[in-house]
Amino acid sequence: MDRLAPPVAGAQRLHRHRSASATPSFRGWSAGVASGERVRPVVAWVTIVLIYRQTFAAPIRAFLPFLWYVPDVLMAGALLAIAGAGLRDKVVPVLVSVGALALLVAYSLLSNSGYAVALAVRGLGYMLLAFFAGLGLRRGDRLLPVALVAAAGISIAGVYYDALFSVPWAGLTFEGVGGTAEAARQWSADGSRRLSGLGIASTDTSVIIAAGTLVLLGLTQNRLRAPSTLFCAAALHALLLTTQKATAGWLITTVLVGYVSPLVAFRRAGFHAAALLRPLGVLGLGASMLVPPVFAGFDFSAALRVNAATLDQRMVEVWPRVLPHLFDVPQLLLGFGLGGIGPTGARPDLVMIDNMFLYTALTLGLPAALALFALAARALLATPLRDGTDFAALALVTLLALNGITANIVVAGAVGSIFLGYAVGALLRSLRRTRSRRHFGAAAPAAATG
């Protein structure tokens, strides 16, 4: 019996090490694992509620407007729950994060209206909540991914219905809180349809469809079978029916690189195309930085003899007007702050940015934007891929990076922020898992030997 004591003691120390190494991890407290799995499902469900609020935005705003801000209250509660779970194990990181956000809000309020700052903080909250939801995904979790696919299917059906019939809210103009005209979106004008689907922002609808399609391909282990192929075809056709046709082009590019190329080049499905998706995503980030200064003033339609009015508007009207502000002092270092630019901002010359990097740099400053884009590029290149969820996250970040060249995907409605946060969180979860396994592998022999 005495000879069995050392192994038993070693096993007990090993069990204690497993418990101690699992709970205090970043992935643990941020997703609610440290609080006994009570926060993690709450974060997932609130994220689903936010996505479906945007999926059915038009009927909700038209017939049930009193429900519109209920998901925002739920989001605030979920973020408080995340902070509470984090304070149990990681007090300093939580306090530093909250303090940095408070400083950013205080700086923003010095020159921007409280309403504009509140809207920007709400968009940032969407991104943070979705980031924690993606970070908390575990192997085999299907609730959130399936909900994203279902939202995409609903949006596709809504686009088709809107294209074939007249929706009950076809003549409405959707305005912001308090009737703010600068935030209004008109469903149709002079008999021409400006919005499509069930949302009140075409960018929202297109991102929901494109993101759900990539998640579906991840759930099916990257195999283009008959159901997923039909879903892809319907998604692409629906995107071509919306006013955001560029998203269809980026989705085609991402699907070809991420899901079709393995079948062609390797004759089997799997994750082999990660070697192609990684540089494609980095290329999208780099193009988001370089395209505005390189092509500012370029008349796209005249050069190629095509009708590309939206591209011409960005290159000829928007970007030449926006770029000089990028190097103004102190905006060069600190930016205009949250709510400083956009439809509710105080700068009418900076209402429409239509570029992810320019918006980030003008909001937070050029150094912060460069740092964030460098970190995103590093995550794209270095994060290991273990399953379909990781691969779908890589494809989704790539899609959003490409779409960010000519669209402000960060604050496009709420969906851009939600899906960007979700994709980055889901992408980083495998990196956290790898680090914890390496740590456990190095410490386990010591624990076993006592």
Side-chain angles (χ1 to χ4, degrees):
M1 294 294 295
D2 293 336
R3 286 178 294 183
L4 294 177
V8 171
Q12 291 175 345
R13 286 193 294 269
L14 180 59
H15 176 73
R16 286 196 299 268
H17 171 75
R18 285 177 174 173
S19 301
S21 63
T23 300
S25 67
F26 176 78
R27 177 174 173 260
W29 74 259
S30 62
V33 177
S35 59
E37 295 292 329
R38 287 176 296 179
V39 176
R40 192 170 67 93
V42 170
V43 171
W45 274 109
V46 174
T47 303
I48 292 172
V49 169
L50 288 172
I51 291 173
Y52 276 82
R53 191 269 301 271
Q54 298 304 129
T55 302
F56 294 98
I60 291 175
R61 292 287 289 270
F63 306 118
L64 300 169
F66 60 91
L67 293 178
W68 183 252
Y69 294 104
V70 172
D72 296 330
V73 177
L74 298 177
M75 176 201 67
L79 290 175
L80 289 175
I82 291 172
L87 287 172
R88 292 186 177 93
D89 290 307
K90 299 287 185 179
V91 176
V92 174
V94 174
L95 293 180
V96 170
S97 300
V98 173
L101 178 60
L103 288 176
L104 178 60
V105 172
Y107 169 73
S108 303
L109 288 172
L110 292 177
S111 55
N112 305 319
S113 69
Y115 172 66
V117 174
L119 289 181
V121 171
R122 184 181 68 165
L124 183 60
Y126 293 154
M127 187 178 299
L128 289 174
L129 183 69
F131 170 78
F132 290 132
L135 195 69
L137 285 176
R138 292 182 170 180
R139 188 180 297 274
D141 285 353
R142 299 178 66 87
L143 173 64
L144 186 53
V146 170
L148 302 184
V149 175
I154 293 170
S155 296
I156 292 172
V159 170
Y160 278 127
Y161 185 89
D162 190 23
L164 297 173
F165 308 100
S166 178
V167 291
W169 49 86
L172 295 181
T173 297
F174 300 98
E175 297 180 341
V177 62
T180 50
E182 59 271 21
R185 292 185 175 94
Q186 193 173 7
W187 193 264
S188 59
D190 300 327
S192 175
R193 181 170 50 84
R194 298 185 60 200
L195 302 176
S196 55
L198 303 175
I200 58 173
S202 295
T203 306
D204 285 4
T205 301
S206 64
V207 171
I208 289 173
I209 294 173
T213 303
L214 295 177
V215 173
L216 172 65
L217 294 176
L219 287 174
T220 56
Q221 297 300 311
N222 304 357
R223 293 180 175 89
L224 282 175
R225 294 174 175 172
S228 57
T229 302
L230 291 175
F231 196 98
C232 277
L236 291 172
H237 186 237
L239 289 176
L240 292 174
L241 293 175
T242 69
T243 59
Q244 299 291 326
K245 295 178 174 58
T247 307
W250 296 129
L251 179 59
I252 291 173
T253 302
T254 307
V255 169
L256 289 177
V257 171
Y259 299 96
V260 177
S261 60
L263 303 178
V264 175
F266 303 99
R267 300 182 182 275
R268 58 176 176 170
F271 310 129
H272 304 282
L276 302 176
L277 269 180
R278 294 182 192 275
L280 182 63
V282 175
L283 178 64
L285 293 174
S288 183
M289 293 187 285
L290 297 177
V291 165
V294 171
F295 289 95
F298 181 74
D299 193 339
F300 191 86
S301 296
L304 300 180
R305 297 182 180 180
V306 297
N307 183 14
T310 56
L311 284 177
D312 292 339
Q313 183 183 31
R314 294 179 179 92
M315 297 179 182
V316 179
E317 300 177 16
V318 177
W319 291 344
R321 184 177 69 249
V322 169
L323 285 170
H325 292 285
L326 194 63
F327 301 99
D328 290 341
V329 178
Q331 283 76 24
L332 170 67
L333 300 176
L334 301 176
F336 289 97
L338 298 174
I341 55 179
T344 58
R347 302 296 302 264
D349 53 339
L350 298 178
V351 170
M352 187 175 66
I353 300 298
D354 275 342
N355 177 271
M356 183 167 59
F357 179 77
L358 287 179
Y359 175 83
T360 305
L362 289 170
T363 300
L364 302 176
L366 189 58
L370 291 173
L372 289 174
F373 271 62
L375 289 174
R378 183 181 180 276
L380 282 170
L381 293 174
T383 305
L385 303 181
R386 302 296 180 84
D387 53 25
T389 301
D390 294 338
F391 194 85
L394 174 62
L396 186 51
V397 172
T398 299
L399 171 76
L400 295 175
L402 292 170
N403 208 19
I405 300 173
T406 56
N408 180 13
I409 205 67
V410 177
V411 291
V415 173
S417 300
I418 292 173
F419 276 102
L420 186 62
Y422 165 79
V424 172
L427 192 65
L428 292 180
R429 75 187 184 102
S430 58
L431 185 62
R432 295 293 175 184
R433 185 167 62 245
T434 301
R435 287 179 177 175
S436 63
R437 285 180 177 177
R438 288 176 180 173
H439 176 69
F440 171 73
T449 58

